[in-house]
Amino acid sequence: MSAAEKFQSLFVTLAALAGLGLGLALPVGPAAGHAVLPALMLLLTAVFAQVDAGRVRAARSARTVVAASLVLNFGFTPLLAWALGAGLLGGSPDLRVGLLLLLVTPCTDWYLVFTGLARGHMGVAAAVLPVNLVLQLLLLPVYVLLLGGEAAMVDAGTLVEAVLLVLVVPLVLAVALREGARRWKGRSWRDAVLVPRANAVVLPLLYTAVLAVFAWQARTVLGHLGDLVALLPALAVFFTVAPLAAVSAARLLRLPDDQRATLTMTSVARNSPIALAVAVAAFPDRPLIAVALVAGPLVELPVLALLSQLVRVRSGAPRSTA
């Protein structure tokens, strides 16, 4: 794990503070606002360029943990997100939608890092990734429209257009990059050069997007600090309940230690870049939604770091051969 990845939460916080300072000191709001969506789309293209859909074959030898992951991510978690929003954020529709967008999008990138730290089953973790990605594309509009209720206040057409813009376009570009690299340079060059380069630009693009969001909405953040604090209890409940549910499911299913670690990390990590991109495109006049989504990783990343140690597979512990 690189220093940038290890201290990612700190760097996200510094980018947010720098954006706030810039936005309050200088009239850069409109320009920063125009930079947010392109930065996020480039970020997602870089993330998707690292996804090898062929890895999904690894799921065939570990169907139980993959099925458990899908049930937790696309059944249990959306219901939990709805309950937390209705119970704790009923008076703040923007925060409620932000929380929903964050929690119903399982991670497709950095959970792999934390799964490795926990010594989980990396084959299964990689196999779950493209499945999570495809299901997000299909189900995100459904979750927002059904579970967001009146708080969402967006028509289906606008939401679908936003998903197509910020998810499908980067995905198509990433597939074109991967296939172009494979045809012109070969599979080995693609895996040895393209994928590491794509990985190297992910964090800088994330920090750029965070800085731009906070510079764009500096005065909104300043005026809604109390609302953002109100988001913390909901996040605390989720990041307590989600790992407990994953560990309980692993014990019930008698999963090997490495698959238990993998299930925990894939069930807890969220995909804030995708959620943020959708929020910016679908809710351009409700900036607090985007601000809430940027605040999410500030809690999530330290939690993932702690979890990776708590569920870490001990040396010499039995591992599955899947």
Side-chain angles (χ1 to χ4, degrees):
M1 190 182 209
S2 68
E5 291 170 331
K6 185 176 181 181
F7 297 105
Q8 183 174 345
S9 182
L10 173 61
F11 292 150
V12 168
T13 303
L14 291 176
L17 292 175
L20 278 175
L22 188 63
L24 293 173
L26 299 172
V28 298
H34 289 306
V36 174
L37 193 55
L40 288 168
M41 292 181 69
L42 288 173
L43 164 64
L44 294 177
T45 301
V47 169
F48 296 160
Q50 301 172 61
V51 177
D52 183 358
R55 288 176 172 175
V56 76
R57 289 192 294 270
R60 297 175 182 174
S61 59
R63 291 186 179 91
T64 302
V65 69
V66 172
S69 171
L70 296 180
V71 170
L72 288 171
N73 276 323
F74 297 102
F76 173 77
T77 295
L79 293 176
L80 176 60
W82 172 82
L84 290 174
L88 298 176
L89 299 170
S92 181
D94 286 359
L95 291 182
R96 184 176 174 182
V97 173
L99 179 73
L100 180 65
L101 283 171
L102 176 67
L103 298 189
V104 301
T105 49
C107 187
T108 57
D109 43 52
W110 60 49
Y111 81 93
L112 292 171
V113 174
F114 292 102
T115 300
L117 289 175
R119 295 177 181 168
H121 192 302
M122 294 302 294
V124 174
V128 169
L129 193 155
V131 180
N132 280 346
L133 179 58
V134 171
L135 288 178
Q136 283 179 62
L137 293 174
L138 297 175
L139 294 178
L140 184 57
V142 177
Y143 288 141
V144 173
L145 293 172
L146 288 182
L147 301 180
E150 295 182 358
M153 291 184 293
V154 64
D155 65 272
T158 299
L159 189 58
V160 170
E161 287 177 7
V163 171
L164 290 174
L165 174 65
V166 302
L167 297 185
V168 176
V169 171
L171 181 60
V172 170
L173 290 175
V175 170
L177 278 174
R178 287 183 63 87
E179 285 304 302
R182 183 184 66 82
R183 290 173 181 243
W184 295 330
K185 294 288 189 177
R187 188 183 300 271
S188 60
W189 185 91
R190 181 194 68 187
D191 295 340
V193 179
L194 175 65
V195 171
R197 288 181 179 176
N199 181 64
V201 301
V202 167
L203 290 179
L205 286 170
L206 175 62
Y207 304 145
T208 299
V210 170
L211 186 148
V213 166
F214 276 87
W216 173 36
Q217 297 298 336
R219 302 195 182 282
T220 300
V221 173
L222 194 63
H224 292 83
L225 286 177
D227 291 329
L228 291 177
V229 171
L231 185 65
L232 295 179
L235 291 174
V237 172
F238 172 78
F239 287 117
T240 300
V241 172
L244 289 176
V247 170
S248 299
R251 289 176 177 171
L252 181 65
L253 297 170
R254 298 181 180 179
L255 296 178
D257 286 346
D258 55 347
Q259 292 190 17
R260 170 180 54 82
T262 300
L263 179 62
T264 301
M265 304 317 296
T266 58
S267 301
V268 175
R270 299 294 94 188
N271 207 343
S272 52
I274 280 184
L276 180 59
V278 171
V280 171
F283 304 98
D285 299 325
R286 299 170 67 183
L288 191 58
I289 295 177
V291 171
L293 286 164
V294 174
L298 303 182
V299 177
E300 175 189 5
L301 292 171
V303 169
L304 291 177
L306 176 61
L307 275 178
S308 68
Q309 299 305 309
L310 292 177
V311 302
R312 186 179 177 89
V313 177
R314 300 182 301 277
S315 299
R319 289 170 173 256
S320 65
T321 58

